[in-house]
Amino acid sequence: MEKNGNNHKLHVCVATCNRADYSKLAPIMFGIKAEPQSFELDVIVLGSHLIDDYGNTYRMIEQDDFDIHTRLHTIVRGEDEAAMVESVGLALVKLPDVLNRLKPDIMIVHGDRFDALALATSAALMNIRILHIEGGEVSGTIDDSIRHAITKLAHYHVCCTRSAEQHLIAMCEDHDRILLAGCPSYDKLLSAKNKDYMSIISMWLGEDVKTRDYIVALQHPVTTDIKHSIKMFELTLDALISFNKRTLVLFPNVDAGSKEMVRVMRKKGIEHHPNFRAVKHVPFDQFIQLVAHAGCMIGNSSCGVREVGAFGTPVINLGTRQTGRETGENVLHVRDADTQDKILHALQLQFGKQYPCSKIYGDGNAVPRILKFLKSIDLKEPLQKKFCFPPVKDNISQDIDHILETQSALAVDLGGTNLRVAIVSMKGEIVKKYTQLNPKTYEDRLELILKMCIEAASEAVNVNCRILGVGIGGGIIHQHELIHGSSFCAAELGHIVVSLEGPECLCGSQGCIEAYASGIALQREAKKLHDEDLLLVEGMSMKKEEVVSAAHLIQAAKLGNTKAESILRTAGTALGLGVVNILHTMNPSLVILSGVLASHYVNAVKDVINRQALSSAKTVDVVVSNLADPALLGAASLVLDYTTRRIY
């Protein structure tokens, strides 16, 4: 185990409510079951799994050889709004006893169903950690509200797309507790074998049906506009009857309005129509093959806009139920499906096409990422959630610790001539600064840095400063925030290689920007010139004991020393090439050069950009920082930005 205790198996409870969420949870369950040394699994089954009208789909869980710990009958029949509310209430009544007996370390909850809201509410109130699968997505109905409510209750989040991840962050969820894994069902989709797909098609649609010559229809009620969604379903069936292709129709889910939709099916004789096969449930493995080889899928199921894209099968998405979903080019939206002709025209446009396969929702490796994420959960961490709220006006109330202490950082500047350490306050004020000559050897430098940091940390106590961390490095700012990177090593810009055969860098590589343009590099070149009596020109003088520095090289260049000018020009070009690489990678709107050498390089950098950069990147502004100690302030900001935005 990585974090969750010595030899402690993580006790995971997976609760599944219906056929749709089981298709996403099953791959995770198989992964957990395959690692008994790390996990203990309990399975709770509730919701429409246990209803005959919806296929008694709990049986597929048993067929997958999972032990079902508890079956909870939680659906109040009626298939209307009141029945949904009562079903949530019934689940809330029954779940506490089960969770008290199981006492799991974590509960895995999927998606946006009302049953899942009851699960998340129960677990949250009973102090059980919650891992929410597929949070952050946007569809277009009451499901959005339920999904985001579960997000607020959940402690950890597994999302499927980059947009969903950004939505979770925008909802003030802690980025450290969000995993961008992809959809677990894609692990099965992208590894599905096609050998027996013809026998599957024959079993569900008839032996005379060929690939790409049938339709799969799956439409659910929209609970925020039941009347319109029933009318739309009626129009869809009329269009399918007119289109005259073999069609597999799956019964709708248990949401309010489903009973009326089933009545529409029976009124039109769909269950006995020669072109239709109406079924309550298709096992997911077989359903994959059916949609993969269909001529088209039609309806408003999330499966159409998510999973089916993996095969490039054409999809007609009806109404508003999935309006906000990310989709591939295989999806044709008919948002205002108010006439039979409009739906029929969409069928004529889409049927039989083959689109490029889309992997918006996953790459087939979600489960290993999720298992690793589960293992990293530290059960010793406080259970109480923390939210990453955007900056707001300071609270007028005060805390004694904040009165007595100033939140600060230790900033370190590894200069060519001097080493500097400073205590920098939250307001960007340098409270105290320490400067020492830079020793010649790496070991001596490291020893001196540690000594200076210890001295500064001790002094911080005397000046009522609380040190939150030590900062060294450059920075990239995106959307007003510093980019830190996975191991806090982002923006090591000085080690961008600009020449394969350049001078050796202190990092051990060759041709880094730092090896050309840093203060240490210029000091090295100045010493070479001085040793060859080529540094000093008329107007310059040096004391015998004076240490040669980059400043002497700059002075020599200003006084007309052509060799010094050449060295500075090469350094500026190296820096410019590095900046061009950054422009082509990050496409920033502003480049800020800081430090004592910045003003000497700015023109050279601009020249290189004009010569080497793509036309789309040449418009970038390059300016010199006017801060007194930009290196120290920049290093401090790395610490202050990261630590303070996680204190609430």
Side-chain angles (χ1 to χ4, degrees):
M1 301 300 289
E2 295 181 19
K3 281 191 181 179
N4 51 33
N6 295 325
N7 301 318
H8 173 74
K9 290 184 181 181
L10 189 69
H11 185 181
V12 181
C13 176
V14 177
T16 173
C17 312
N18 53 66
R19 66 192 181 196
D21 77 18
Y22 183 66
S23 68
K24 317 294 178 66
L25 294 170
I28 303 172
M29 293 161 64
F30 280 115
I32 291 171
K33 188 177 179 181
E35 296 195 30
Q37 73 282 3
S38 300
F39 302 106
E40 179 183 347
L41 175 65
D42 279 317
V43 180
I44 298 175
V45 172
L46 65 158
S48 60
H49 272 310
L50 302 169
I51 299 177
D52 181 63
D53 285 351
Y54 296 94
N56 282 326
T57 49
Y58 72 89
R59 290 174 184 153
M60 64 183 177
I61 303 172
E62 294 177 332
Q63 290 166 1
D64 284 341
D65 202 26
F66 289 111
D67 295 324
I68 299 175
H69 181 276
T70 304
R71 293 174 172 84
L72 291 179
H73 292 271
T74 57
I75 297 297
V76 176
R77 300 306 299 272
E79 284 79 13
D80 58 14
E81 295 96 329
M84 290 169 62
V85 177
E86 290 167 356
S87 297
V88 171
L90 184 57
L92 288 171
V93 169
K94 292 187 173 185
L95 280 166
D97 179 60
V98 177
L99 297 179
N100 259 332
R101 282 187 281 111
L102 291 179
K103 291 183 168 51
D105 295 320
I106 191 164
M107 173 177 277
I108 298 180
V109 177
H110 169 271
D112 48 31
R113 307 292 301 135
F114 58 84
D115 324 70
L117 180 60
L119 287 164
T121 302
S122 300
L125 291 174
M126 297 183 71
N127 291 323
I128 296 169
R129 296 166 196 268
I130 301 165
L131 176 70
H132 185 207
I133 308 292
E134 291 188 9
E137 296 185 16
V138 178
S139 51
T141 67
I142 189 66
D143 294 351
D144 278 345
S145 300
I146 294 174
R147 187 185 308 111
H148 301 331
I150 296 171
T151 289
K152 292 294 99 184
L153 293 168
H155 303 80
Y156 307 95
H157 313 273
V158 172
C159 56
C160 301
T161 69
R162 183 70 64 185
S163 293
E165 180 187 38
Q166 292 303 312
H167 292 159
L168 290 172
I169 294 170
M171 291 163 66
C172 304
E173 294 300 314
D174 187 345
H175 199 174
D176 291 340
R177 294 192 171 197
I178 300 171
L179 172 68
L180 175 56
C183 183
S185 65
Y186 266 62
D187 289 28
K188 194 170 231 179
L189 291 177
L190 299 179
S191 62
K193 299 199 181 331
N194 301 0
K195 292 183 188 173
D196 302 323
Y197 66 84
M198 282 307 303
S199 64
I200 294 170
I201 293 171
S202 298
M203 179 172 64
W204 290 100
L205 286 144
E207 293 185 0
D208 58 329
V209 177
K210 300 176 181 178
T211 60
R212 307 288 174 203
D213 198 34
Y214 63 90
I215 297 168
V216 176
L218 178 53
Q219 199 157 332
H220 302 300
V222 177
T223 57
T224 50
D225 193 353
I226 295 172
K227 187 176 179 180
H228 178 69
S229 65
I230 293 168
K231 178 64 177 174
M232 184 169 63
F233 185 52
E234 191 171 357
L235 294 171
T236 303
L237 293 178
D238 289 339
L240 288 168
I241 291 168
S242 298
F243 196 62
N244 198 31
K245 287 290 182 181
R246 193 67 57 84
T247 302
L248 180 71
V249 180
L250 279 83
F251 277 60
N253 63 22
V254 74
D255 281 351
S258 61
K259 185 186 292 185
E260 287 82 354
M261 291 180 74
V262 173
R263 285 197 191 107
V264 169
M265 287 174 62
R266 287 175 176 157
K267 178 182 173 183
K268 292 186 177 295
I270 295 299
E271 291 172 289
H272 305 291
H273 195 289
N275 261 355
F276 288 83
R277 300 290 185 272
V279 298
K280 295 175 181 177
H281 168 65
V282 178
F284 187 64
D285 289 350
Q286 297 175 30
F287 184 72
I288 289 172
Q289 299 300 337
L290 289 170
V291 296
H293 298 92
C296 180
M297 182 174 181
I298 187 170
N300 62 5
S301 168
S302 63
C303 174
V305 298
R306 293 170 57 95
E307 281 83 0
V308 178
F311 307 111
T313 300
V315 171
I316 300 169
N317 180 53
L318 301 173
T320 60
R321 192 171 183 265
Q322 307 297 338
T323 295
R325 297 272 190 196
E326 298 171 71
T327 65
E329 60 181 287
N330 64 312
V331 178
L332 174 64
H333 295 282
V334 186
R335 292 187 173 90
D336 190 16
D338 53 354
T339 67
Q340 176 186 333
D341 286 345
K342 194 179 289 185
I343 299 171
L344 189 59
H345 187 60
L347 283 165
Q348 291 165 348
L349 286 173
Q350 285 287 78
F351 186 79
K353 285 186 177 180
Q354 180 63 45
Y355 289 93
C357 298
S358 166
K359 294 184 181 179
I360 294 172
Y361 287 93
D363 61 1
N365 295 298
V367 172
R369 296 181 185 119
I370 293 169
L371 296 183
K372 184 177 179 181
F373 189 58
L374 282 169
K375 292 175 187 177
S376 74
I377 292 173
D378 187 354
L379 298 178
K380 295 177 182 177
E381 284 186 352
L383 186 67
Q384 177 60 49
K385 279 188 68 170
K386 294 180 178 180
F387 298 102
C388 300
F389 295 113
V392 293
K393 186 178 179 180
D394 289 341
N395 197 317
I396 59 171
S397 63
Q398 299 186 53
D399 184 283
I400 187 65
D401 287 336
H402 291 169
I403 293 171
L404 297 177
E405 295 182 320
T406 302
Q407 292 180 328
S408 307
L410 282 189
V412 179
D413 176 21
L414 309 177
T417 305
N418 297 313
L419 293 178
R420 299 190 300 161
V421 173
I423 303 169
V424 182
S425 75
M426 181 65 66
K427 295 180 180 179
E429 298 170 347
I430 295 180
V431 179
K432 190 150 188 178
K433 183 164 61 176
Y434 303 82
T435 304
Q436 295 277 3
L437 285 173
N438 201 342
K440 295 182 179 179
T441 67
Y442 169 80
E443 292 79 9
D444 289 342
R445 284 191 202 112
L446 192 59
E447 184 179 348
L448 181 56
I449 290 169
L450 291 173
K451 182 180 177 183
M452 292 171 73
C453 285
I454 292 170
E455 184 182 350
S458 300
E459 180 60 24
V461 177
N462 298 329
V463 293
N464 290 328
C465 289
R466 178 189 292 182
I467 300 299
L468 301 176
V470 181
I472 305 173
I476 297 172
I477 297 171
H478 177 59
Q479 294 182 347
H480 307 292
E481 287 196 3
L482 280 167
I483 294 176
H484 296 281
S486 60
S487 57
F488 293 86
C489 291
E492 285 291 351
L493 309 179
H495 295 289
I496 293 174
V497 175
V498 292
S499 172
L500 295 177
E501 298 178 355
E504 186 176 345
C505 181
L506 290 174
C507 72
S509 184
Q510 281 185 291
C512 299
I513 294 174
E514 204 167 282
Y516 285 102
S518 69
I520 292 175
L522 295 185
Q523 182 184 33
R524 179 193 64 226
E525 296 302 317
K527 280 196 69 177
K528 286 181 182 177
L529 290 181
H530 188 260
D531 291 344
E532 297 172 8
D533 291 328
L534 298 174
L535 177 64
L536 299 181
V537 294
E538 186 177 347
M540 287 183 66
S541 63
M542 285 183 62
K543 297 178 181 177
K544 190 172 183 180
E545 66 278 4
E546 190 174 353
V547 176
V548 178
S549 68
H552 294 111
L553 186 75
I554 293 169
Q555 184 184 7
K558 285 181 177 178
L559 293 173
N561 187 323
T562 56
K563 291 190 178 296
E565 288 174 349
S566 176
I567 291 168
L568 284 176
R569 194 179 309 112
T570 300
T573 300
L575 179 58
L577 289 172
V579 170
V580 168
N581 287 332
I582 297 167
L583 297 183
H584 291 167
T585 305
M586 301 292 296
N587 191 214
S589 60
L590 179 66
V591 175
I592 302 174
L593 304 179
S594 63
V596 294
L597 297 172
S599 60
H600 301 287
Y601 288 148
V602 64
N603 290 330
V605 169
K606 289 179 179 179
D607 288 342
V608 175
I609 291 173
N610 284 329
R611 292 198 313 270
Q612 303 274 18
L614 295 172
S615 58
S616 57
K618 287 182 179 179
T619 57
V620 68
D621 287 332
V622 181
V623 299
V624 176
S625 170
N626 58 7
L627 294 173
D629 288 289
L632 291 172
L633 294 176
S637 68
L638 292 172
V639 170
L640 297 174
D641 169 77
Y642 182 76
T643 56
T644 55
R645 67 190 174 104
R646 284 167 170 74
I647 295 173
Y648 314 105

